[in-house]
Amino acid sequence: MSGYHEREHFRSLFHDELPALFSQRPTDGVACISGGPSGSDAGAIFPAVTFNDVPLGSMMDNDALPRAFGLSCSAPLDVLGSGGRTGSPELMVDVGNGSGSLTPAFGCGGRATTVTPNSSTSSLSAEAAGEEDADRCQKEEQQEEEGDTSKKVKKHKKQGERRQREPRFAFVTESEVDHLEDGYRWRKYGQKAVKNSPYPRSYYRCTTQKCPVKKRVERSYQNSTIVITTYEGRHTHRCPATVRGSTLLLPPPLMSTSFFQDLVMQQAHQLNSTANQMPPLQQLEFSHYGLLQDMVPSFAHHGQP
DNA sequence: CGAGTTTGACCTGCGC
DNA sequence: GCGCAGGTCAAACTCG
C-alpha cells in the first residue's frame, strides 16, 4: 500500500516546514508534533477517524478542530496533518506534553470530493501559543508605560487591550493555486519573501468585520505543488458559503456531532488524568459519509457570542 | 467608487 | 546591542 509512504512523505514535509511555521515551540507542558524530534510517537500507528467526501470549505473552519477535540485556545495542542496524493486528507492531533498523547487521526478513504476546485490533498496542523502572548503582552504594557516615542508611524497594539495570539492550524494542500477557496472571503494585507525559499509568503485577513482570523499561504520550497495554509484565530461569523445555503446540500448526519465531541473530550480528560502515563491509542473508525460535514458546521456555532 | 492587491517601511522577537 | 527574519501597516495602485 502506498498510503504509508504518502503519509511519511507529508510527515517529513511537516518536519521540514512546520518549524518555520511554528517557530515558537512551546516548552513546558505542551504538545509536540507527531513523530517529531520529541519522539513521542515516532513509530506510532495513527488511529483513523475516516470520513469521505469532505468539503474542504468545511474543514477550513479552523475553529472546528480545537472544539472538536474539546480544547480551548489555551490548551496545549499541536495538530499534525498528513495526507496522500490520491485525495486523502488526514488530520492528526497530538495533545499532551510528550509524556502522553492523544492522537485521533482523520484519514480519508480515498475519494475526496471537495467543494473547492483547486485542492486535491489537504492536511492540518495547529499550535497553541499562550506563553508567548503573555510575554509579548508584558512587553507591550511595559512599552506603553515607558511612553515609547520611537514609534514613528504606528502602534500595532490597542491601548488597554491585551493581544492574544490564537491557535494556528496549518493545512498542507497539493494545489497549483496559492490561495485556496475555502468559503470565506480574504483580503491580502502583506507578502514577504521567505528565507531559503523562492516562494513568497502571503498574509490574508478575513474581510468580515471584526473577524480576527488570519491566514498565511506559502508554497513548499521542496515541492512547489504543495501549498501550506496556516490559519490563525476563530471566525466570529458563519462561513459565507454555508450561509448561502450550502448546508442544505450536506448529507444527513449519520453520527451525532456531540457524540464525537464527547468521545474526544473524554479522551482528553483521560489524558489529563494520566499525565505521566502513555495512554493507549484509541482507534476510532468512522467511515460514515459526511461525518466532518456534520461535525464542522455544528461546531462553528459552539461558543459563539 | 469601493473592494482588493501591491509594496516599501516599520515593528517585534530572537539568536548571537 | 546588533542584525536578521517574520509579521503588520498603510499609501498607492488596480480592477470591476
Side-chain angles (χ1 to χ4, degrees), chain A residues 18 21-26 73 75-79 125-129 132 165-170 216 230-232:
Chain A
L18 288 182
L21 289 172
F22 305 139
S23 55
Q24 300 92 18
R25 298 303 309 160
C73 288
L77 165 68
D78 265 8
V79 183
S125 179
E127 77 168 42
E132 176 201 9
R165 175 164 294 180
E166 299 287 341
R168 296 182 197 168
F169 304 88
R216 296 179 301 187
T230 305
Y231 289 80
E232 180 176 339

Side-chain angles (χ1 to χ4, degrees), chain A residues 31-47:
Chain A
C32 299
I33 289 176
S34 297
S38 67
S40 60
D41 63 344
I45 299 171
F46 296 95

